[in-house]
Amino acid sequence: MEHLNLLQRIEKKSSEFSKGQRRLAQYITENYDIAAYLTASKLGKEAGVSESTVVRFAYQLDYEGYPELQKAIQVIVKTNSNSIQRMSLSSKRYQEKGVLKSILYTDSERLRDTIQSGVDEEEFNRSVMLINDARRLYILGARSAAYLAGLMGYYFKMMFDNVIIVDANSTSETLEQIYDISDKDVMMGITFPRYSKRTICALQYAKNHGAKTIALTDNMQSPIVEYADCKLIAKSDVMTIVDSLVCPLSVVNAMVTAIALLRKDDVEKRLMALEELWNEYDVYNRSLL
């Protein structure tokens, strides 16, 4: 059950539900955008069941309690909600609080979640070693995740050759860029709700052709996890039409730093050459106000 999302778990367990649990399941399925931020008591009242039924329902679906069920509902919101629904949901969340502090607080909470129950250090270290040993490193992120892929590629290109930032304009163009990927290569796919089919398809192609694969995503129910040898989990949240990518950005920063330390001598030589180039062409402003 670990890799099944909430809706899949409801479908799998539906024959075992009591009458009250069936009513609750129907309410959550039809109103997940409302249910996502209700307490167990309020959710029970909205669905017409008792609070204890809500708690038992969480255990019935193999969650450790209502807080975990609530997070699973929020995953469905992030995955299935369109832009208009996100705007409506965020308006409700932020209308009574200042936007700036609310979002900064939410980002800090997601960072805490990522530290406590997100990215696994052993998976992180395995990913670093895979990248370090790769003949070629392919990095793919579509839509907003493209900026994470671009930033990672920007720094990795300073450190070693054969880093390829895959263009995600279309599925066919993406696959054309990785058509000769092999077991000597590594592909990193980055996707967050709403998950990119293009990125999932490309990682599946890479894995089927023997490449080592790394997924940077928000939870173990993400559809890209199925095709990843290493799973890096960085929590995200929905903020109007904006997805919070603070946590995945921190993981990218950590990965770049880890590779730099692993290749310290070689990286220092390359940076010395780059510094000479930057100085020669006066790339950076050195004056102080």
Side-chain angles (χ1 to χ4, degrees), residues 10-273:
I10 288 175
E11 183 178 359
K12 187 178 179 66
K13 292 272 193 174
S14 59
S15 62
E16 304 173 17
F17 291 163
S18 66
K19 184 177 179 180
Q21 288 174 336
R22 283 197 297 273
R23 189 182 303 126
L24 178 58
Q26 181 178 359
Y27 179 84
I28 291 173
T29 302
E30 295 176 353
N31 303 279
Y32 50 79
D33 55 330
I34 298 173
Y37 299 97
L38 298 178
T39 63
S41 176
K42 288 183 178 179
L43 176 57
K45 184 178 292 186
E46 291 292 328
V49 300
S50 66
E51 181 178 354
S52 61
T53 297
V54 175
V55 174
R56 286 196 299 271
F57 184 70
Y59 291 120
Q60 180 73 16
L61 294 176
D62 291 336
Y63 293 115
E64 293 182 358
Y66 180 69
E68 190 175 351
L69 171 61
Q70 186 179 45
K71 288 180 180 179
I73 301 173
Q74 291 168 5
V75 168
I76 299 300
V77 171
K78 291 189 289 183
T79 304
N80 292 5
S81 298
N82 61 35
S83 299
I84 298 169
Q85 290 170 319
R86 288 174 173 221
M87 280 292 295
S88 176
L89 176 63
S90 299
S91 176
K92 294 173 185 175
R93 291 179 68 184
Y94 301 133
Q95 63 184 353
E96 295 180 357
K97 302 177 182 178
V99 173
L100 175 61
K101 288 188 178 180
S102 295
I103 288 180
L104 289 173
Y105 177 78
T106 301
D107 278 337
S108 69
E109 285 291 298
R110 296 296 79 77
L111 281 167
R112 189 175 296 111
D113 290 343
T114 298
I115 293 169
Q116 294 175 350
S117 60
V119 63
D120 180 82
E121 193 162 358
E122 185 174 327
E123 288 284 284
F124 175 84
N125 291 335
R126 283 181 59 215
S127 299
V128 168
M129 295 309 300
L130 287 178
I131 291 172
N132 184 63
D133 296 338
R135 180 186 64 172
R136 290 176 299 192
L137 171 63
Y138 295 85
I139 307 172
L140 172 60
R143 304 182 73 80
S144 60
Y147 297 95
L148 293 172
L151 184 68
M152 177 179 282
Y154 169 78
Y155 284 113
F156 277 158
K157 284 183 175 182
M158 288 187 188
M159 301 183 209
F160 49 91
D161 301 321
N162 297 324
V163 177
I164 301 163
I165 304 172
V166 181
D167 187 356
N169 285 333
S170 70
T171 300
S172 60
E173 288 182 12
T174 298
L175 295 178
E176 287 167 9
Q177 292 173 67
I178 64 171
Y179 80 95
D180 62 342
I181 198 167
S182 75
D183 59 359
K184 296 181 176 63
D185 303 323
V186 170
M187 181 161 189
M188 182 156 193
I190 306 173
T191 189
F192 289 82
R194 301 149 71 182
Y195 304 110
S196 165
K197 289 183 177 180
R198 204 169 297 153
T199 305
I200 298 164
C201 178
L203 206 71
Q204 180 183 15
Y205 179 93
K207 188 171 181 62
N208 289 343
H209 285 74
K212 299 296 186 296
T213 54
I214 304 169
L216 176 56
T217 190
D218 66 319
N219 70 87
M220 290 298 291
Q221 284 77 50
S222 169
I224 202 172
V225 163
E226 179 181 354
Y227 308 111
D229 295 308
C230 292
K231 299 93 174 171
L232 303 177
I233 305 301
K235 304 297 183 177
S236 68
D237 210 332
V238 175
M239 299 171 178
T240 63
I241 61 171
V242 177
D243 295 319
S244 172
L245 298 177
V246 169
C247 295
L249 178 58
S250 290
V251 174
V252 167
N253 290 342
M255 184 158 284
V256 170
T257 301
I259 293 288
L261 294 175
L262 194 61
R263 296 179 168 224
K264 185 175 181 294
D265 293 340
D266 186 50
V267 169
E268 285 181 350
K269 290 178 184 177
R270 295 176 72 105
L271 288 178
M272 285 177 63

